[in-house]
Amino acid sequence: MTAGDNEKFEQFAAILTTELLDRTRKSLELLTPEEQPAAKLPFALTPSFQEIYAELVRVGIFPVLLSRRPVRAIVGDVDWPRDGRDYLLTVLDDRSNAVFTAWDYAWDALWDERKVGADSGASAPAKKKGFFASLFGRKAKPETKTAEQSGEGDVMAGLYTMLNEQAERRGYLPLFHDDIKVLKGLVRVKPARIFKAWKEINQYHHQEFYLSGQDQAKPGVTSECLQKWHYNLPDRIGEFLVLKAAVDMEFVNKPFLGKYIRQSARTQEEAEKGMPYLATYWKSMNQSAAAQG
């Protein structure tokens, strides 16, 4: 690339990085409960996770994303300092755009366990080791090798394993393996949509439980509103919003949550599979939470 092309790409990269970091940070902040939880929170709903997530995106995701040819092609003839953000938002409104595809690719590359052959000489595993060392302050710990793996070099802990070590150390619920859907899905959710959902849930909770007479909403509207957003937001995002309500809203207590889970799933097994964080939190809620309201 010429000097002008390099400058234009750097302008594009800066706008893209800022937009995606802001979008995901705001979404995580909106999903994080503000009150004292009655049981362990999922690691993904804590301020400490927000910090790790932002660093993950900066160090582990963007370099891969920006290296992808379809993403670099977006630079085009746009005047990025003047029109860049508006143009980028039109690109991101296409849910199958090159940025989201490259974003998913980068997350998948970090998430799973990877075998690192002693003679592979590949640059990606080396970069990955350096990435984990910079993020977690140490090198990824090799797993115990089986007889079949003995000649294949080390097996490096993937991001999933490393994050769960952090969750355990800090006293939070560990991630589930398919939470990769959450980490990838965040970029597709506009914070304004989560804000709208939470505002609506708050409104119905207030009308149902704090007003009286003609101003009082009919029983069950809070639960109906929670179900609406639970299933209209991407994987786990809706579940996290219900969990936030369980922490921050006085009357979304243990009996309310138990009824909500029963109404949202045909069996306990289905509930634990479809909304594992909610089911785990509900079972762990202390008895004082059950006595409220």
Side-chain angles (χ1 to χ4, degrees), residues 21-42:
L21 277 173
D22 283 351
R23 180 181 293 208
T24 51
R25 175 184 55 80
K26 288 175 184 176
S27 292
L28 283 173
E29 287 175 349
L30 287 167
L31 291 168
T32 299
E34 297 179 2
E35 302 298 327
Q36 184 68 29
K40 282 185 178 181
L41 279 178

Side-chain angles (χ1 to χ4, degrees), residues 103-178:
W103 170 276
D104 290 351
Y105 173 87
W107 276 108
D108 289 338
L110 281 175
W111 190 244
D112 286 318
E113 316 314 85
R114 299 290 178 184
K115 293 177 182 175
V116 184
D119 59 348
S120 67
S123 60
K127 288 180 181 177
K128 190 174 176 185
K129 280 186 175 179
F131 163 69
F132 282 135
S134 67
L135 184 64
F136 298 108
R138 62 180 179 81
K139 290 184 178 180
K141 182 173 61 179
E143 302 286 346
T144 302
K145 292 184 289 184
T146 64
E148 291 81 7
Q149 296 167 342
S150 59
E152 298 178 356
D154 292 333
V155 177
M156 187 168 60
L159 180 58
Y160 168 71
T161 301
M162 300 292 283
L163 285 175
N164 276 347
E165 287 181 8
Q166 294 291 315
E168 183 179 2
R169 185 175 299 122
R170 300 173 192 220
Y172 299 118
L173 291 176
L175 301 168
F176 292 96
H177 197 271
D178 65 351

Side-chain angles (χ1 to χ4, degrees), residues 78-246:
V78 179
D79 184 338
W80 287 98
R82 188 187 67 186
D83 305 319
R85 185 173 184 269
D86 289 340
Y87 177 75
L88 178 62
L89 292 177
T90 65
V91 172
L92 297 182
D93 279 340
D94 179 354
R95 299 186 72 84
S96 61
N97 67 77
V99 172
F100 290 168
T101 301
W103 170 276
D104 290 351
Y105 173 87
W107 276 108
D108 289 338
L110 281 175
W111 190 244
D112 286 318
E113 316 314 85
R114 299 290 178 184
K115 293 177 182 175
V116 184
D119 59 348
S120 67
S123 60
K127 288 180 181 177
K128 190 174 176 185
K129 280 186 175 179
F131 163 69
F132 282 135
S134 67
L135 184 64
F136 298 108
R138 62 180 179 81
K139 290 184 178 180
K141 182 173 61 179
E143 302 286 346
T144 302
K145 292 184 289 184
T146 64
E148 291 81 7
Q149 296 167 342
S150 59
E152 298 178 356
D154 292 333
V155 177
M156 187 168 60
L159 180 58
Y160 168 71
T161 301
M162 300 292 283
L163 285 175
N164 276 347
E165 287 181 8
Q166 294 291 315
E168 183 179 2
R169 185 175 299 122
R170 300 173 192 220
Y172 299 118
L173 291 176
L175 301 168
F176 292 96
H177 197 271
D178 65 351
D179 279 350
I180 183 66
K181 296 176 183 177
V182 183
L183 306 185
K184 294 193 299 187
L186 270 175
V187 76
R188 291 172 166 82
V189 184
K190 294 180 180 179
R193 184 165 168 79
I194 298 177
F195 179 83
K196 177 183 178 182
W198 184 242
K199 183 178 179 181
E200 189 174 302
I201 294 165
N202 259 303
Q203 178 184 339
Y204 281 115
H205 179 257
H206 180 78
Q207 289 176 346
E208 181 175 357
F209 296 107
Y210 291 99
L211 299 183
S212 58
Q214 292 183 341
D215 295 327
Q216 186 175 23
K218 66 178 183 179
V221 294
T222 304
S223 183
E224 290 172 5
C225 187
L226 285 169
Q227 280 196 326
K228 166 189 168 181
W229 289 108
H230 186 167
Y231 295 106
N232 281 327
L233 288 169
D235 286 320
R236 289 270 204 278
I237 304 298
E239 181 185 355
F240 283 159
L241 202 62
V242 179
L243 210 157
K244 175 180 168 70

Side-chain angles (χ1 to χ4, degrees), residues 35-56:
E35 302 298 327
Q36 184 68 29
K40 282 185 178 181
L41 279 178
F43 188 32
L45 295 186
T46 65
S48 57
F49 181 83
Q50 293 171 22
E51 296 172 8
I52 290 177
Y53 186 93
E55 190 64 14
L56 271 170

